[in-house]
Structures are given as C-alpha cells and as structure tokens.
Amino acid sequence: MIKANPIFYQVLIADDEPIIREGIRDAVDWASLGMEVAAEAEDGEEALELALGRAIDIALVDMNMPFMDGISLMKRLKEERPECRFVIITGHDEFAYAQEAIRLGVKDYILKPVNADHLVSVLRGVKEELDERHIQDNYLKKASEQIEKNIPLLRERFCQEWIDGQLEESEAVEQLEFLGLPPKLPVQAGIARWPELTVPQPLMKESDRQLYLFAMENIIGELLQPAAHVLFRDRTGHIGMLLWDEVPAKTCADAEQAVQKYLKLSIQMHLEQVREDSGGITSAYEACREAVLRDAQLSPLVRRARQLIQEQYADPELTLESLAAALQVSPVYLSRTLKKELGTSFVVFITQTRIRKAIQLLNGTDLSILEIAERTGYDSQHYFSTAFKKVMGVSPNGYRKGLAFQEEKGS
C-alpha cells in the first residue's frame, strides 16, 4: 500500500475580527494535526491574494468580511485552487448559505464564539480528506508511470490485434489516442522480414538476435522519419510498421541497403497502401507478408532492377536497354530473368508501377492530368491517358470522377 508522506497543510484564517483570528490560532495545536497557519487576512481581497500566493490547502473563512464576502472568496478560490478545502466561520446558527456552501465543497462550519474541541474535530476531518486525496494522487501517479513504462508493450499488443482483425475501427481509433498515436487509419502498412527468424536451426543466440532486431528497428525508424509511424514485432518476430504519412517506395530499398551496410545482414522490406475500410489494415499487412516471402525468392539482379524501376519510373528515358546498362547485363538476359522471376515483362512492370503512382496522385492531389503524366514518366497527356485506360478501363479523368467504381457496382 502507498503511504502518504508527512505533509504540513497550509492554513489561512480569514476574519475581520482580530480577536477571532487570534482565538482560532491559539486554540489549536496545529503541528499535531499536520498543519500550520501560513497566513491571516482581515478582508476577502487580502485573503484571496494570500491564498493564491501561498498555495493554501485549508481556508477558515468568515462570511461577513469587507471588500469581498466569504461566498465570493470561496467562489474565486474554487476556480483558482479547486483542491482547497473550506471551513466557514459564522455568527449565525441559521446558516443561510448552506446550499451555496455545499456546491462550493465546504467541509463544515464553526459558530462564533469558536469552540476549540469542535474546531479540532472539524480540522481532523479535513485532514483525513486531504490525506486520502494525496494517497489517491500517489496511486494515480504510480499508475501513470507504469502505463508510460509499458506503452511500447501496449502498442505492440494493440498493433498485433489490429493487423489480426480483432479490433473495430472505432475501438482502434480510441486506443490510438491513448497510445500517443494519430487517431485515424494509417495510410501504409509494412513489414521487414529477416530470414534468420524463420530458420529451423538459428545461427545465433537469442540475445544476439534481439540485439540485431533492435538495431534494425533503429535504422528503419530513422529512414521513416519524419513520417508519423509505429514499429512493432508481429507474431513471427518480424518488424511490422504502420504509417500515418506516406513514404516513397524506395524507402524499402534504402532500409535493405542500410541494414546490409551497417549490420551485414539481408532483410526484405515491403510497404502497402491501406484501404479505407474495416479490413484495410489486415489485408495490407497480409499483402506485405506475401510480398516479402516472394522477394526472398528473387535474385539480387531482379531485386536491384525492381528497385531502380521504382526509383526512376518518372524518367521517360527509362528503357530495358538503359536499365540493363545500369545493371551491367544484356537486355535479353535481363528481360528473360525479369519474366521468369516476376512473371511479367519489363514493359508491363514499369507500366504497372507508373499507373499505381498515378492512381495515388489522382486520389491524393489536385494535380492536373498533364502534371500527373509528367510525374509518372509519360511524354504526353495523350500517351498517359491511353496507357491508363488500357490498365484501368477508364480514363484518368473518369477515374478521378469515380467512374471506375460506378462500373464495379454496375457489374
């Protein structure tokens, strides 16, 4: 159980009669109650100034003071120091302010002339209440610290449940805010696969594997900056990621190269767009899983070729011949290898890459069709529109107007 540290509560005596103030001050052994008289005031305005300047915990307040009466003083203090406790001093048994006093949280009231035993009894009750508040504050502080310490673990568990499809979107958004993440659907999901984690006989000790995984997370995290993101370990131990800001496709290749350079390890990393529906996270992450498994089967040549295409798709001069020259192989050999490993030709692959990027620009920007054509490697708007319609079944303008989706519904 958490024990409250010894606290001397600060007391203010506010009464316009000096003899009353003196009587209250001398009638109580304040130290034995864990209190001390921090200030005395003869009117309401002075009492307010002293209470705010000295962080008063308990205010003994006379109802009828000049400049500012007791109720007005308590209202102001309630606003400025809501944790302050009030005890009213009044000369009337008929307490006309009872309803207002209860609303302001008055603990009790003392009749003049002040009875010492009654005053001490009331003050003990106030002290118990303040002690309980401090114990509660300590519990809440400890709980908050514990939650803060466990945020990475909570994030990991949350992300795992989300990609497994165990959370509704509304529930997920609520938890995102609590976990310090953007309270909306991510735009990308990703995975970094390290083959060492799936081999039957690991080549290194578990402690070394965890050290390398931590280093990989640091490298990937730096490359994802400044995009809002979270990294986590999925059920297979691989590094999962959710991003709330889009990063370029070449980020995956950059991460793979950086891990190879600094850690001398080979990984496969893949990112997917997240659809704006309830199953978007799950399907995007599953697509990432399948993609890195496919990537693991690719030769270094095809992986490098694909990376260069993703980096240079906006260049109209990018051809099979120029790509082969950059990779120092013959165009025939490159074409045959791409077809064998990717199941598609160079022309189809680069077209798919360009159209995929064009779709992102059509959905996420107000760029003109000509500007999108130029940004995706097409010499002319006409050539771009022809290629787009051949792949998508509608023109770029039609796609932007939603015609593709209308046709899907119609069919």
Side-chain angles (χ1 to χ4, degrees), residues 239-267:
I239 299 169
M241 57 204 83
L242 298 175
L243 297 91
W244 283 265
D245 300 303
E246 190 171 333
V247 297
K250 74 183 212 66
T251 305
C252 294
D254 291 343
E256 291 170 1
Q257 289 172 14
V259 170
Q260 180 67 51
K261 178 181 179 181
Y262 297 113
L263 302 181
K264 303 294 185 284
L265 295 172
S266 176
I267 67 167

Side-chain angles (χ1 to χ4, degrees), residues 61 63 86-98 101 106-112 118-119 122:
V61 179
M63 280 292 91
F86 306 117
V87 176
I88 286 176
I89 305 165
T90 179
H92 306 284
D93 197 2
E94 298 260 344
F95 184 40
Y97 302 100
V106 171
K107 177 65 183 174
D108 210 331
Y109 69 95
I110 306 292
L111 289 174
K112 299 179 184 179
H118 185 204
L119 177 58
V122 169

Side-chain angles (χ1 to χ4, degrees), residues 233-409:
R233 307 276 179 86
D234 68 15
R235 295 195 192 283
T236 58
H238 296 303
I239 299 169
M241 57 204 83
L242 298 175
L243 297 91
W244 283 265
D245 300 303
E246 190 171 333
V247 297
K250 74 183 212 66
T251 305
C252 294
D254 291 343
E256 291 170 1
Q257 289 172 14
V259 170
Q260 180 67 51
K261 178 181 179 181
Y262 297 113
L263 302 181
K264 303 294 185 284
L265 295 172
S266 176
I267 67 167
Q268 295 88 39
M269 179 168 153
H270 187 82
L271 291 168
E272 282 282 337
Q273 298 295 120
V274 176
R275 299 193 320 265
E276 293 186 11
D277 58 45
S278 58
I281 293 286
T282 303
S283 58
Y285 197 78
E286 188 55 39
C288 289
R289 248 197 273 261
E290 292 171 1
V292 293
L293 286 172
R294 286 195 305 271
D295 286 358
Q297 312 303 317
L298 299 179
S299 64
L301 173 65
V302 171
R303 288 174 61 78
R304 180 64 179 148
R306 189 180 60 179
Q307 177 193 340
L308 288 176
I309 292 171
Q310 289 171 342
E311 290 176 1
Q312 300 175 22
Y313 67 86
D315 180 5
E317 302 299 319
L318 180 61
T319 63
L320 176 64
E321 289 71 24
S322 67
L323 183 63
L327 294 168
Q328 298 181 330
V329 295
S330 73
V332 173
Y333 178 73
L334 177 59
S335 177
R336 189 167 59 242
T337 308
L338 287 174
K339 181 73 173 176
K340 179 183 176 183
E341 295 190 23
L342 295 181
T344 189
S345 67
F346 167 80
V347 172
V348 171
F349 186 80
I350 194 171
T351 299
Q352 289 173 342
T353 302
R354 286 169 169 166
I355 298 303
R356 191 159 50 240
K357 184 60 182 178
I359 287 171
Q360 291 176 19
L361 294 173
L362 286 166
N363 287 334
T365 73
D366 294 324
L367 293 173
S368 68
I369 303 301
L370 176 60
E371 288 172 314
I372 291 175
E374 291 171 346
R375 291 195 184 196
T376 52
Y378 290 96
D379 283 324
S380 71
Q381 181 174 332
H382 174 72
Y383 183 26
F384 166 60
S385 295
T386 302
F388 190 95
K389 187 169 184 179
K390 186 175 180 181
V391 174
M392 299 301 297
V394 294
S395 68
N397 265 323
Y399 180 90
R400 182 170 261 171
K401 292 174 182 176
L403 295 183
F405 307 105
Q406 290 175 22
E407 288 181 11
E408 283 179 12
K409 287 180 182 178

Side-chain angles (χ1 to χ4, degrees), residues 216-232:
M216 288 177 203
E217 286 176 336
N218 283 338
I219 291 170
I220 293 168
E222 285 182 15
L223 289 170
L224 294 179
Q225 293 291 354
H229 69 277
V230 62
L231 300 177
F232 61 95

Side-chain angles (χ1 to χ4, degrees), residues 107-147:
K107 177 65 183 174
D108 210 331
Y109 69 95
I110 306 292
L111 289 174
K112 299 179 184 179
V114 175
N115 178 285
D117 290 338
H118 185 204
L119 177 58
V120 168
S121 175
V122 169
L123 289 171
R124 279 204 184 100
V126 175
K127 181 181 184 301
E128 286 176 8
E129 187 178 322
L130 289 172
D131 284 346
E132 287 175 6
R133 188 197 75 199
H134 279 284
I135 291 171
Q136 182 185 49
D137 287 348
N138 280 337
Y139 273 124
L140 293 174
K141 183 182 177 186
K142 294 268 186 193
S144 179
E145 290 170 354
Q146 195 66 30
I147 289 171

